[in-house]
Amino acid sequence: MSDWKAIIGLEVHAELMTRSKMFSSAPVVDSVEAAPNTAVDPLSLGLPGTLPVINKQALDDAMMVGLALNCEIPPVNQFARKSYFYPDLPKGYQISQYDRPLCVNGYIDVDLSDGTSKRIRIRRAHLEEDTGKLVHIDGESLVDYNRAGVPLLEIVTEPDINTAEEAEAYARKLRAILQYLGVNSGDMSKGVLRLEANVSVMHRDDTGYRTRTEVKNLNSIRSLYRAIEYEVARQIAAWESGEGVRQATMGWDEQRQRTVVQRYKEDADEYRYFPEPDLPVVEVSREWVERVRARLPELPDAKRDRFMSEFGLSRYDASQLVAEQAVAHYFEAAVATGASAKTVANLLLTSLFSLLNRDGVERENIASTKVTDRQFGQLAKLLDDGVINRPTALTVLGEMWETGQDAEAIVKAKGLAQISDTAAIEAAVASALAENDALVQRYLAGEEKLFGPLMGSVMKALKGQGNPQLVRDIITRQLEAKRG
Amino acid sequence: MELSHEEVRRIAELAKLDLTDDEVALYAGQLSSVLQYFQRLQEVDTSHVEPTASVLPLSNVFREDIAETPLDPDEVIRNAPDAVDHQFRVSAVLGDE
């Protein structure tokens, strides 16, 4: 395994939330909710005699994304025809951009769990029109053109990504940027944001790239992570067994948690790109670029830096919190209840995230769980104030997660408040030491590691609710008293 | 320039046409003569002509982002040979984009 490393590039397709379509005035609707073919005009259908006209807002939005991704905006960009025949494209071609994209040469820096950060270069981001939606039933396909013509931004990285973790970090950050800019909801379940990974592996003796596969059908960032882990391992095994890797489009099978071949790509795709004759070129003045730049809001990096300076959080913790706009909101609202930011961050990033993970809830849906941000802040406050200890906090959180009750109500109802009553602890310690006299004698004879078991038996007597610091102090005092 | 039968088969595949061997031979001849005719363009000296990005003497023709009433879904499928529940029905095409 150590002889191999993965070479990964990501292609992200993001629909832009404009009011009307890329090249016509048909409305942009929620393509999951809307009834079929209710947001369609003659251009969406590719009817003869129709002509496209560029939506200025889509250009502005796409340029704003490009600037947020540190891209250059060339002085001229141009649309091109990409020919292919498939029922989701009624014209027989898609209007896209080819050799003159809107945005080029960008990058974003992603923060990794080992505390380092890594720059992922962005080769280009170009505008195109989305295609219709096909539903396959019994050997037939039903076509809905509501989505056909919705502005779509394709964002392509260089093959700078080497691990599933980096791919996940990139996808999360890119999605966060799109959400912060307000140009895309980031809702992958609705297909408004779609990921594809180009995956190959490289042996340390290699001097060039090996055959790559393209992994599609990734419906969540978690799927992206798992699909890359799987596909990289599959390719390494295939090279090592001598079988090798064939160029192919793979799909991620969520049920079986594996990649499956959709089709082999024996021949290079033949899209016959040429400049779109129905659309004039777009000339972008520097004034235009600066006008768009002036509209950029506080982006994840700036928010992360603010969380670090305002709340004293580590870079990695802060970047985890801003990675999803919904999580950043949740965190700030929880802190606003008066709990310490560090306690909130810590509980959120460990315990709440692991509950989200366990139940397969995406982080972006954090606000729709039973634990409201205010309740979460109250739980952190109980911990801050020493009313409960940390293990109890986790128990209470688990209960809140299931029932949606307030932390305080759960603590009261179950008698979970931490015992800080010195007399009660003194009594528990005295009886525990009496019951474990053998351990006590050995401890006094120098086996100091036996402090742990003694502490354990006291905490057990206190049902785990003893204030750990007080318990420790009192045991120490009583043991020392026995030395006489 | 004479197109090979293999090239004709490749073009037919891209155009989703199913050709017999006789047709391949026939079209190889016909397509080649069409190509030959266009080859006369190569004789024009273009060394002093700037590459053309667009044939239109225009740039920056935009529309405002205003949504208008779409077609009625009955209208949308009116010309469709086959439709169900306001969706076009086509034979399944799998294993492509």
Side-chain angles (χ1 to χ4, degrees):
Chain A
M1 183 80 187
S2 56
D3 288 343
W4 295 95
K5 86 175 170 184
I7 308 289
I8 301 158
L10 288 185
E11 284 178 26
V12 176
H13 284 90
E15 284 186 354
L16 300 175
M17 294 193 291
T18 49
R19 284 187 281 272
S20 63
K21 289 187 177 176
M22 185 67 231
F23 301 115
S24 72
S25 60
V28 170
V29 296
D30 183 326
S31 69
V32 174
E33 300 293 327
N37 290 313
T38 52
V40 165
D41 60 5
L43 193 108
S44 314
L45 293 171
L47 294 183
T50 55
L51 284 171
V53 187
I54 298 166
N55 182 341
K56 170 82 159 36
Q57 187 65 45
L59 273 178
D60 278 355
D61 288 357
M63 197 186 300
M64 192 161 71
V65 175
L67 293 173
L69 303 178
N70 305 294
C71 287
E72 297 159 20
I73 310 295
V76 179
N77 67 78
Q78 185 174 29
F79 287 90
R81 271 188 199 185
K82 176 182 182 180
S83 303
Y84 69 88
F85 299 99
Y86 198 61
D88 64 1
L89 266 180
K91 298 192 295 300
Y93 60 86
Q94 180 185 32
I95 304 180
S96 180
Q97 295 191 308
Y98 184 53
D99 54 348
R100 305 172 105 187
L102 175 63
C103 316
V104 297
N105 298 334
Y107 65 86
I108 54 181
D109 294 323
V110 297
D111 293 319
L112 302 172
S113 58
D114 64 3
T116 63
S117 75
K118 175 162 179 172
R119 178 157 295 183
I120 311 289
R121 289 172 300 156
I122 289 160
R123 182 182 298 170
R124 58 186 282 152
H126 71 251
L127 261 176
E128 57 190 29
E129 54 181 340
D130 207 347
T131 59
K133 205 170 60 179
L134 266 65
V135 181
H136 304 286
I137 301 169
D138 301 334
E140 293 183 320
S141 298
L142 303 181
V143 196
D144 169 12
Y145 289 117
N146 283 345
R147 216 179 61 180
V150 171
L152 191 65
L153 187 64
E154 178 174 330
I155 303 157
V156 184
T157 72
E158 296 291 345
D160 288 349
I161 296 165
N162 298 118
T163 64
E165 189 202 352
E166 290 171 14
E168 172 175 353
Y170 170 81
R172 285 198 187 282
K173 183 133 184 196
L174 177 57
R175 182 169 65 172
I177 289 170
L178 294 170
Q179 289 172 329
Y180 280 54
L181 294 175
V183 300
N184 182 289
S185 69
D187 188 347
M188 294 183 62
S189 68
K190 295 213 160 150
V192 300
L193 187 67
R194 309 194 283 273
L195 311 175
E196 287 167 35
N198 288 307
V199 180
S200 67
V201 294
M202 187 177 265
H203 191 270
R204 63 168 178 197
D205 300 332
D206 287 354
T207 51
Y209 292 126
R210 294 184 181 229
T211 309
R212 63 189 163 95
T213 60
E214 192 178 331
V215 184
K216 294 185 169 191
N217 195 29
L218 302 166
N219 296 323
S220 67
I221 289 178
R222 197 171 300 132
S223 303
L224 169 75
Y225 182 94
R226 291 184 183 149
I228 287 175
E229 291 260 282
Y230 182 91
E231 182 61 13
V232 168
R234 184 190 74 82
Q235 289 190 12
I236 292 171
W239 289 117
E240 285 188 337
S241 74
E243 175 199 343
V245 171
R246 281 175 76 187
Q247 195 179 348
T249 300
M250 317 282 291
W252 173 244
D253 185 333
E254 188 69 46
Q255 238 83 54
R256 292 189 291 160
Q257 296 283 303
R258 52 168 300 182
T259 56
V260 288
V261 174
Q262 288 182 335
R263 67 174 174 128
Y264 288 108
K265 292 180 137 181
E266 303 298 338
D267 308 305
D269 291 313
E270 186 96 44
Y271 292 129
R272 285 162 291 153
Y273 280 102
F274 63 91
E276 170 55 62
D278 290 340
L279 289 171
V281 298
V282 179
E283 289 175 355
V284 185
S285 69
R286 294 308 94 182
E287 293 71 32
W288 183 0
V289 174
E290 291 318 311
R291 263 200 317 276
V292 172
R293 196 191 302 277
R295 283 174 38 215
L296 289 173
E298 183 187 44
L299 290 169
D301 280 355
K303 202 184 265 295
R304 175 200 64 206
D305 293 346
R306 181 165 65 77
F307 280 7
M308 288 165 67
S309 58
E310 198 174 320
F311 302 126
L313 301 180
S314 74
R315 183 185 171 96
Y316 184 70
D317 285 357
S319 73
Q320 291 279 95
L321 290 171
V322 303
E324 235 88 28
Q325 200 173 21
V327 173
H329 282 314
Y330 190 94
F331 168 75
E332 289 200 274
V335 171
T337 63
S340 94
K342 277 190 174 166
T343 308
V344 174
N346 192 278
L347 263 184
L348 202 163
L349 293 172
T350 55
S351 315
L352 192 54
F353 271 11
S354 74
L355 286 170
L356 292 171
N357 260 338
R358 189 195 69 190
D359 291 0
V361 181
E362 289 291 333
R363 291 175 188 175
E364 69 192 59
N365 297 327
I366 193 167
S368 65
T369 65
K370 287 187 180 161
V371 186
T372 67
D373 47 35
R374 188 185 51 85
Q375 288 174 313
F376 192 73
Q378 290 164 346
L379 172 69
K381 187 92 172 40
L382 292 179
L383 191 56
D384 282 338
D385 294 347
V387 176
I388 52 175
N389 60 27
R390 203 180 148 81
T392 304
L394 302 190
T395 310
V396 174
L397 179 59
E399 188 82 17
M400 293 166 75
W401 178 262
E402 301 300 333
T403 64
Q405 281 183 279
D406 284 350
E408 209 167 341
I410 296 168
V411 169
K412 241 183 220 145
K414 304 215 153 181
L416 292 172
Q418 178 165 258
I419 298 168
S420 298
D421 173 352
T422 313
I425 297 175
E426 291 276 6
V429 170
S431 66
L433 295 188
E435 280 166 31
N436 294 288
D437 190 53
L439 288 181
V440 169
Q441 294 312 320
R442 282 164 62 195
Y443 173 86
L444 291 174
E447 282 187 67
E448 294 197 351
K449 65 174 195 300
L450 293 176
F451 190 89
L454 288 170
M455 174 95 184
S457 72
V458 175
M459 283 305 262
K460 199 172 159 207
L462 293 168
K463 296 193 182 106
Q465 288 158 240
N467 177 327
Q469 194 50 49
L470 267 180
V471 172
R472 195 181 308 274
D473 291 349
I474 290 170
I475 296 175
T476 308
R477 204 180 318 132
Q478 291 196 13
L479 282 171
E480 291 313 311
K482 283 185 193 292
R483 281 193 206 277
Chain B
M1 193 183 96
E2 194 71 27
L3 281 174
S4 71
H5 288 196
E6 197 178 313
E7 284 169 314
V8 174
R9 284 205 181 83
R10 171 86 179 121
I11 293 164
E13 191 190 321
L14 286 171
K16 312 273 189 219
L17 294 174
D18 211 2
L19 301 186
T20 64
D21 288 350
D22 288 348
E23 284 169 327
V24 169
L26 176 68
Y27 294 140
Q30 291 184 357
L31 283 171
S32 297
S33 62
V34 172
L35 276 181
Q36 258 155 25
Y37 180 74
F38 275 94
Q39 224 145 22
R40 292 175 61 188
L41 286 171
Q42 304 284 4
E43 293 161 20
V44 182
D45 178 9
T46 57
S47 59
H48 302 294
V49 180
E50 283 286 305
T52 310
S54 167
V55 292
L56 301 174
L58 293 169
S59 66
N60 295 15
V61 178
F62 304 132
R63 39 174 283 274
E64 291 303 314
D65 183 26
I66 296 165
E68 285 167 24
T69 312
L71 289 174
D72 185 280
D74 288 333
E75 284 291 296
V76 171
I77 56 159
R78 205 168 58 152
N79 292 332
D82 195 5
V84 61
D85 298 336
H86 289 130
Q87 296 172 83
F88 297 84
R89 181 152 59 184
V90 298
S91 53
V93 192
L94 288 172
D96 213 324
E97 288 301 302

